[in-house]
C-alpha cells in the first residue's frame, strides 16, 4: 500500500434518513449536544449564498495547493456525498472554482468543504451549492498530487472518518461520528425544543432569570 498516494473504498456511510433529520437541526444545538468539544475551526465559513450542508463525508487528504485528488473525488462521488478536503488550511492556491462547482452540482454532490482556498468567489457566492472554505485566492492549483481518498482526516482537531455525517450552516461546520448520529440527534433535538420554548417565554415575558443571580452568589461575587 502506497501511503500518501492512494484511493480506498469507503466501508460505511451514514444513512440518508439521518442526513434528512439533521438538516432540520441548527449546528449550534448539535455542537452543544457534543459538549462543545468538536469544531472544524472558525476559519471554515460558508462561501455560498444560503443553504444547509448535510451528508456523508467523502474524505480527501491533499497536498496544500494541489487539487488532483479532489478532481478524482468528484469523479467517484455518489449523489448526496459531501467531499471534505484537508489541504492543510493553506490559502496560497485555490483548490476549486466555478467550473468544478458546476461539475459537482451535475454529479449530485451535496456539498464541498475545503480546508484551504477557493476562487471565483462572486459566482460561488451567488449560488446555493453548499461550499465551506477557509479563504479565497485568485491563484490556481497544481494537479500533481500526492493525496489520499477515503482516509481519516483532521481539521483543527476535528477528526473526520469516511462516511461520518458532515453538517454546516451559518454558524460553521461540524462532524458527527458515524456511530453517534442517533444519540447526538436525540440530544440535539431536545436542546432545540428547549430553546424554542425559552424563545416563546422571552416573547411572553415569562422567562426565569433567577439562575443568573444564584450563580453569582454561589461564586462569591460581590453584589450591591
Amino acid at each position: 500500500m502506497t501511503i500518501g498516494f492512494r484511493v480506498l473504498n469507503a466501508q460505511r456511510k451514514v444513512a440518508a434518513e439521518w442526513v434528512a433529520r439533521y438538516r432540520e437541526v441548527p449546528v449550534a444545538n448539535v455542537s452543544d449536544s457534543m459538549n462543545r468539544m468538536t469544531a472544524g475551526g472558525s476559519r471554515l465559513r460558508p462561501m455560498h449564498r444560503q443553504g444547509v450542508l448535510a451528508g456523508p463525508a467523502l474524505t480527501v487528504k491533499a497536498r496544500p495547493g494541489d487539487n488532483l485528488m479532489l478532481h478524482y473525488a468528484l469523479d467517484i462521488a455518489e449523489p448526496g456525498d459531501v467531499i471534505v478536503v484537508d489541504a492543510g488550511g493553506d490559502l496560497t492556491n485555490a483548490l476549486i472554482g466555478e467550473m468544478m462547482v458546476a461539475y459537482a452540482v451535475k454529479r449530485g454532490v451535496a456539498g464541498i468543504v475545503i480546508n484551504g482556498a477557493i476562487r471565483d468567489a462572486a459566482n460561488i457566492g451567488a449560488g446555493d451549492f453548499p461550499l465551506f472554505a477557509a479563504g479565497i485566492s485568485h491563484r490556481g492549483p497544481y494537479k500533481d498530487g500526492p493525496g489520499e481518498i477515503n482516509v481519516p482526516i483532521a481539521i483543527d482537531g476535528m477528526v473526520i472518518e469516511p462516511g461520518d455525517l458532515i453538517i454546516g450552516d451559518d454558524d460553521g461546520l461540524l462532524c458527527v461520528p458515524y456511530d453517534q448520529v442517533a444519540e447526538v440527534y436525540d440530544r440535539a433535538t431536545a436542546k432545540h425544543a428547549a430553546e424554542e420554548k425559552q424563545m416563546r417565554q422571552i416573547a411572553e415575558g415569562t422567562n426565569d432569570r433567577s439562575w443568573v443571580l444564584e450563580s453569582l452568589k454561589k461564586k462569591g461575587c460581590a453584589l450591591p
Side-chain angles (χ1 to χ4, degrees):
M1 181 178 293
T2 304
I3 296 177
F5 217 146
R6 57 183 177 168
V7 177
L8 306 181
N9 291 321
Q11 301 300 311
R12 61 186 186 178
K13 181 186 294 190
V14 66
E17 63 180 277
W18 286 117
V19 175
R21 291 181 183 183
Y22 270 89
R23 291 183 67 87
E24 306 302 320
V25 186
V27 170
N29 290 155
V30 181
S31 178
D32 286 350
S33 301
M34 297 173 69
N35 289 316
R36 307 176 178 91
M37 288 294 291
T38 301
S42 58
R43 288 205 307 164
L44 287 176
R45 303 302 307 155
M47 297 293 174
H48 55 292
R49 180 178 60 180
Q50 62 181 8
V52 173
L53 171 69
L58 193 170
T59 60
V60 179
K61 190 172 183 66
R63 181 170 68 90
D66 192 289
N67 74 354
L68 176 61
M69 281 303 190
L70 172 54
H71 273 284
Y72 191 59
L74 285 171
D75 286 340
I76 65 174
E78 297 179 348
D81 283 348
V82 174
I83 298 175
V84 187
V85 184
D86 176 18
D90 181 76
L91 304 181
T92 306
N93 299 80
L95 297 191
I96 193 169
E98 61 180 325
M99 288 191 293
M100 292 178 71
V101 167
Y103 183 53
V105 172
K106 184 68 173 179
R107 294 276 301 157
V109 173
I112 296 176
V113 178
I114 305 287
N115 187 21
I118 69 163
R119 65 179 180 179
D120 302 324
N123 180 281
I124 291 170
D128 295 332
F129 177 78
L131 196 159
F132 285 70
I136 299 168
S137 174
H138 58 79
R139 297 177 66 177
Y142 300 98
K143 295 176 173 59
D144 301 308
E148 298 182 315
I149 294 177
N150 280 326
V151 297
I153 61 174
I155 300 177
D156 278 8
M158 182 176 73
V159 177
I160 304 169
E161 300 270 359
D164 283 351
L165 177 65
I166 301 296
I167 55 175
D169 61 19
D170 288 339
D171 285 335
L173 190 81
L174 185 61
C175 173
V176 182
Y178 176 90
D179 293 327
Q180 298 175 18
V181 290
E183 176 187 355
V184 171
Y185 177 79
D186 288 343
R187 293 184 179 186
T189 51
K191 173 72 173 176
H192 186 47
E195 289 191 356
E196 288 185 323
K197 178 181 178 181
Q198 189 173 0
M199 287 294 289
R200 290 194 297 271
Q201 291 173 337
I202 291 173
E204 296 165 356
T206 60
N207 59 308
D208 182 9
R209 300 286 297 169
S210 61
W211 68 270
V212 179
L213 182 58
E214 291 302 318
S215 180
L216 292 174
K217 289 179 178 178
K218 287 180 180 179
K219 295 178 183 296
C221 179
L223 296 166

